Amino acid sequence: MASRTLHPASRQAAHLAHAGLRLYVHVPFCEHKCHYCDFNSHVRRQINWQNWLQGILRDWQGHHIPPKHIDSIFIGGGTPSLMPVDILEALLHAIHDRCRLAPQAEITMEANPGSADAGRFAAYRQCGINRLSIGVQSLQSDELRWLERIHDPQQALQAFTMARDAGFENINLDLMYGLPAQPLHRWLQSLHQACELQPEHLSCYQLTVEPGTRLASMHASNPDMQWPDDDQAIMFFRQTRRVLAEHGFIAYEISNYTRNNRYCRHNDGYWLYDDYIGLGPGAAGKYDLADGGVIRWWNIRSPETYARQLALEGHGVAGEERMSKEEAASEAFWLGLRRNHGINHQRFCQRFSPALLQRQQQACRRWQQQGMLAINQQQTCITPQGWLMADSIAASVFD
Amino acid sequence: MFLSARLAVTLPRAMTDQHSPPIQQYIRNFSIIAHIDHGKSTLADRLIEVTEAVSERQMKKQLLDSMDLEQERGITIKAQTASLRYPAADGHTYTLNLIDTPGHVDFTYEVSRSLHACEGALLIVDATQGVEAQTLANVYLALEQDLEIIPVINKIDLPSADVAEARRQIEEVIGLDADDAIAVSAKTGEGIAEVLEAIVQRIPAPTARDDAPLRALIVDSWFDSYVGAVALLRIFDGVLRQRDKIRLMSSKLSYEVNDLGVFLPQAQSLPALPSGQVGFMVCGIKQLSALRVGDTVTLERQPASSPLPGFREPRAMVFAGLYPVDSADYAELRDALEKLNLNDPAFTFEPESSMALGLGFRCGFLGMLHMEIVQERLEREYNLDLITTAPSVVYRVHMTDGTMKEISNPSEFPEPQNIARIEEPVVIANIFMPEEFVGTMMKLCQDRRGVQQDMKFIGQGRVMLSYQLPLAEMVIDFYDRLKSVSRGYASMDYELSGFRDEHVVKMDVLVHGEAVDALSLIVHRSIAETRGRELVKKLRQLIPRQQFDVPLQAAIGGRILARETVKAVRKNVTAKCYGGDITRKRKLLEKQKAGKKRMKSIGSVEVPQEAFLAVLKLGEGN
């Protein structure tokens, strides 16, 4: 962990090994903070969008992005779909002005299924957003209420239709399972219904109790909440995979599924160890360094403190860490294991070295013996039996 | 080491004549006895300061408690002494030999030797606390030695001091005449002059027997890295001189005196120590075990016909296995034990190997505190990470063939069919506490198989309970429990009272079908089920889930008493890993990994250190 924050300008020396760069823009605002949420989102009575945009642009200025093309943009949150269209337009204009977007660049925006948000989908599409990720979570009204979501199933279905009508050909739905006392069949109902909409992409997460959330205190004070035990969680996981396979979805990552090869290129970039820049409160970034190591940094989470520091010091960085080539190799290895194709040996050896590849493989050899890891000529990847132990397998690289 | 610092003050040594041998009638030998924290060390400091034996500059706070550990615990482990020059009111200058005593029940024998070297004792009672368990235990020891006891009521400067009540308790609980008790504040110095006068006037002078064959009692001994073993002696008969050839009557070893003298409290060499005097002797001995506390020193050329009475071999009462957490540290542990043993010959150790813990040592201690001290010194002074197995006591196992075996290690426990009967050691414990805790205290004692002997109301809402308790029940966290059920208000002292026939058995713990020797314990049959259930339950919480189900069983012989299962981990996967905050996710994984490094593998099961300590924490749920 870095003890002192570097001014981002001093990172100019950072050597960008890969051609492409990914851009993450964080919108830290929500209308309501759900009890389970540990993302960097804040409820503000009034959002000064101009200030937010100025912050993003100033943050970016500090990074001195070299004239490289950008492969993907991801506008996440919070609730980005609260954003007025003119602000989005200005943001995307600014991005176009400053760098070259790859011709097929993936530009994703996260959206809430509420009617006000959905009303802006068409305009978002016009601005250049070409992928929409809708936070549906569930298609059961009681579950949505328990999750404190402010939409109902009807609105969720409508939002999808409106997105399609707006011309979105690449849509993701976020769904959540493993709620307390949730019977499997109700989850599968949501899942089936979502499949019938034929989205290109589905993210299915198990609900987890994150420390510091309201849910965590509810959990602590109420031991009677019927959380799924391991066996149930395993059943949810397996059934999800089975049902989605039947609908033609491929699980290309632990929680992510796609039809027709429309995987999320932006998120895949994290697992492929691509460089990315995070703009906005709480956003994180990563560059490759000339010595083969990497630098990671993360911004201040509070929107106000972030803005203040940006104004005073020209950057919003809260902390950073540098890793050696060896450490980076471990990290790249376990991140790669999250993908169904795992680690591509040729790519890994180009970025690091055959010796470092061997070292990582050696560290998780016992998982191979148990049939949870497959190593062939081209790649190292977790097998279907291994998915449920992915964290344990990943942790072996720290041996 | 602290001791070398003390001796080094006098090196090179100059013989001084101004400290000419005192005539016996101007010598007073005394100890200070007290309950922990009643102010023994402060009073000693004050006496030394007032007699100007040390300048204030030299004086560290609580001079006599010189070891770090002692200062932290506030108790004196190693007895030390000082010869104070005191010009009394009668115009004569007296030599007051203060002989410090260890302050804990584990060192009762050492205390008794220290007291044996005295003619009198100051008995301190805290004016805010009254008589406590150790006050009583120490008074009995002093009375056994026929000492003149001067009651001293301390801490009268505190607002909560109640001198009259302290006097009443001295009379009623201890049975001493408290009319002459001196009220003092060791902190402010009030009453100290009276104490010094009382020592001169009330404590008898030692009897002069300079012309008898030498008999000197080894009151204490310790190891100094410069001069070797040092003995603190009380000369009863004869005179000991520099260069004398001496003989130790019980070990039959002979040496030549390299140096002798007194502590002021710095070491001061003298040409001779006359009868009645207390001082040190150095013979260039490398092994501290040669100078055993309680042994008698005599002269080669004119030996005494019989030794002084009361010598006893130090006897280990509590046994436990000590293992390095990292098995690579075994050699280091052995070196550390050897070095520590030079300083503290009272503990014993021999190599032992455990299937679960690898190579280690079976160690014997005088008691629980002694065990803790040794363990702490090993960890602190030698920087070792240790696993300590559950302590056990010495059982007398009578075999069907008529022989008797002393067993302290569960792994040596004979097959049940060969055992005729078993005796276990019992103690008499005196527990002092405020009235309101009597109920919970009685329950605690009963749960520990105690038999009530006595109950006394001692005034001010305080009660003394006497219980006969099996030592085995005391060695496992009894003292902690006693403190916790009384919110720290209870005090306790105990002494070994013998053996009684009991139905004890060896209980094994099986982890994944394998008996783990380090978890075996000897337990009374009547509570075996309860203990077994508790133990496996506790272990289930402590042993992390593995990739397979791990059954945990408690068993006597082939009979399973209790069973729990550590369910297999079948799922360990984080759903969310996006948004780019990789650092946080990596830290979580690293943490998972770091936890594993501190574990011992038993077969294919990873067991954390705490699991081996679970045995120590049994009975907490009571």
Side-chain angles (χ1 to χ4, degrees), chain A residues 38 205-206 230-231 233-234 254-255 270-271 276 284 296 321 323 331 334 338 367 370 388-392 395 398-399, chain B residues 545 547 567-587 589-590 592-593 596-597:
Chain A
D38 79 326
Y205 299 113
Q206 184 186 345
D230 266 14
D231 289 340
I234 289 168
I254 289 166
S255 308
Y270 297 140
W271 307 316
Y276 57 96
R296 291 192 175 279
E321 62 173 353
M323 277 183 282
E331 193 178 66
W334 69 254
R338 291 190 69 89
W367 299 102
Q370 295 176 40
L388 287 162
M389 296 296 288
D391 280 10
S392 301
F398 300 115
D399 272 343
Chain B
R545 297 163 64 198
Q547 273 174 264
K567 285 285 208 183
V569 186
R570 297 169 51 215
K571 175 176 169 294
N572 178 24
V573 53
T574 311
K576 272 175 283 189
C577 185
Y578 72 111
D581 192 1
I582 305 300
T583 305
R584 193 170 126 198
K585 164 80 176 146
R586 192 188 66 240
K587 297 236 141 89
L589 287 176
E590 282 171 349
Q592 279 191 15
K593 202 66 210 171
K596 288 214 163 161
K597 295 233 160 102

Side-chain angles (χ1 to χ4, degrees), chain A residues 39-56:
Chain A
F39 287 123
N40 186 33
S41 66
H42 306 264
V43 178
R44 296 287 180 266
R45 206 184 314 188
Q46 270 199 324
I47 302 166
N48 188 330
W49 287 102
Q50 276 301 337
N51 278 0
W52 172 81
L53 181 61
Q54 290 316 309
I56 297 292

Side-chain angles (χ1 to χ4, degrees), chain B residues 284-353:
Chain B
I285 302 171
K286 293 281 172 287
Q287 293 295 322
L288 183 56
S289 50
L291 294 178
R292 284 180 294 188
V293 171
D295 204 348
T296 302
V297 179
T298 190
L299 291 180
E300 274 277 273
R301 58 182 152 81
Q302 190 196 354
S305 54
S306 65
L308 294 160
F311 174 72
R312 204 170 85 192
E313 295 270 355
R315 212 175 136 71
M317 296 301 305
V318 176
F319 292 82
L322 289 184
Y323 291 85
V325 170
D326 184 348
S327 48
D329 291 343
Y330 173 76
E332 265 179 72
L333 174 59
R334 189 191 51 222
D335 289 351
L337 284 168
E338 278 168 7
K339 280 188 195 139
L340 204 58
N341 206 212
L342 290 176
N343 259 309
D344 180 359
F347 81 86
T348 59
F349 64 99
E350 54 186 51
E352 173 183 68
S353 87

Side-chain angles (χ1 to χ4, degrees), chain B residues 509-534:
Chain B
V509 173
L510 290 76
V511 173
H512 208 227
E514 252 183 81
V516 180
D517 49 9
L519 289 172
S520 295
L521 65 164
I522 299 171
V523 61
H524 196 264
R525 186 64 188 84
S526 66
I527 52 168
E529 264 91 4
T530 327
R531 285 287 157 86
R533 264 197 303 276
E534 261 182 85

Side-chain angles (χ1 to χ4, degrees), chain B residues 4 9 16 36 92 116 155 205 213 294 337 415 516 520 532 616:
Chain B
S4 45
V9 177
T16 52
I36 292 176
H92 295 287
H116 190 62
K155 302 196 189 176
L337 284 168
E415 291 299 317
V516 180
S520 295
L616 299 172

Side-chain angles (χ1 to χ4, degrees), chain A residues 7-28:
Chain A
H7 188 283
S10 67
R11 293 201 205 96
Q12 280 178 72
H15 159 74
L16 300 179
H18 302 301
L21 184 66
R22 307 192 179 277
L23 193 62
Y24 176 82
V25 180
H26 191 72
V27 179

